[in-house]
Amino acid sequence: MDISVIIPVYNEENNISMLHERLRSVLDQLTNRYELIFVNDGSKDNSMPMIKALSKRHPEIKYIDLSRNFGHQVAVTAGLDKSCGDTVVIIDADLQDPPELIIDMYQKMKEGFQVVYAKRKRRQGESIFKLWTAKVFYRLLSRITSISIPVDTGDFRIMDKRIVQILREMPEKNKYLRGQISWIGFNQTYVEYERQQRNSGETGYTFRKMLRFALDGITGFSDLPLKIVTYFGFLVSIFAFLIMLYALYSRYIIEDYEPGWASLMIVILFIGGIQMIAVGIIGEYLSRMNNNIRNRPLYIIRDSNL
Ligand code: UDP
Ligand code: MG
């Protein structure tokens, strides 16, 4: 097998046949030994029956039907685990990633790269909120991690079989694939493109999923939040010590003291808030550790023709 294309699918019934058409005309130019692996991530619409029907007519179509919605990163991981191509492509099902770009990416790989990712020059049809949070997040992440995770890049990319084999050996449960792939290294480069609007349907990334994904990226690749907590703890303690000295001084030396309810409340609430945040940050790391210790399977397959 030359090329495996992995397509995570969550409620994409109106995109599947067009995606298949466009992928087919692109891949036919490159090779005739390719497979399209559709990973159905617990879609509630007609996506799965459509994929199955297509696979009856086209032998290159493979499918993995997960037992429920496990999330985008896990769906892609399931596809990676089953892929057998020498080159592997990850692409969204909603046609926001133009299949035609695969040709450029494939050519670029031939120049001696193991990973070619697609970097968005511009994004169309996204809310200002999403554009802004994504922009800030990617820059923050690249500052606080020691590896260089490229900014403005999704999972749309093409990579060598070797990278996929290494990914399979990385056992973490909270997947942040683009970070893991950067971590692996070798020669990586990018091609630029303009991200299109979703062809049909609506985003499967709710705010909650986005937040969890962002936290997975940070906790998976940086300990800085924990360190900030420690530094801040020291800072606040020094400050508190000075106030204590001052309080003793005014009580016993100059004997000028007042009930001071307001200032006390402020200090208590402030320190209380900081402590809650600190415990919360520790909790984020702990819950991920717990996840890994439980060691449950990452996903369950209901049905597959692989
Ligand atoms: N997706 C998935 N599981 C989910 C959410 C999304 O497999 O829980 C798929 C979705 O079908 C699409 C890709 O992941 O192929 C990207 O998702 P989406 O387009 O909803 O995200 P956005 O482009 O809005 O960030
Ligand atoms: Mg999309």
Side-chain angles (χ1 to χ4, degrees), residues 229 269-283:
V229 168
L269 289 177
F270 179 70
I271 306 255
I274 297 280
Q275 279 177 340
M276 299 271 225
I277 294 171
V279 172
I281 292 175
I282 295 168

Side-chain angles (χ1 to χ4, degrees), residues 97-127:
D97 305 331
E100 294 70 27
L101 198 69
I102 293 174
I103 295 183
D104 292 352
M105 293 157 90
Y106 193 71
Q107 240 103 59
K108 195 96 188 174
M109 247 185 98
K110 294 273 174 252
E111 293 171 17
F113 293 98
Q114 280 72 40
V115 179
V116 180
Y117 53 87
K119 190 172 156 121
R120 343 189 225 238
K121 254 195 317 209
R122 250 192 296 148
R123 296 174 90 169
Q124 287 173 3
E126 306 274 16
S127 67

Side-chain angles (χ1 to χ4, degrees), residues 7-12 39-43 69-73 75-76 91-97 120 123 126 130 195 198 202-206 209-210:
I7 309 145
V9 176
Y10 180 61
N11 299 342
E12 306 278 8
V39 186
N40 178 41
D41 188 19
S43 295
N69 180 249
F70 282 90
H72 170 237
Q73 297 286 300
V76 173
I91 190 168
D92 282 358
D94 58 3
L95 291 163
Q96 284 195 288
D97 305 331
R120 343 189 225 238
R123 296 174 90 169
E126 306 274 16
K130 179 151 187 170
R195 192 159 165 89
R198 197 169 231 292
E202 54 189 46
T203 176
Y205 260 100
T206 56
K209 281 185 184 170
M210 254 163 54

Side-chain angles (χ1 to χ4, degrees), residues 227-241 274:
K227 290 194 184 115
I228 289 177
V229 168
T230 316
Y231 297 147
F232 214 85
F234 274 113
L235 219 74
V236 172
S237 302
I238 292 168
F239 189 62
F241 182 70
I274 297 280

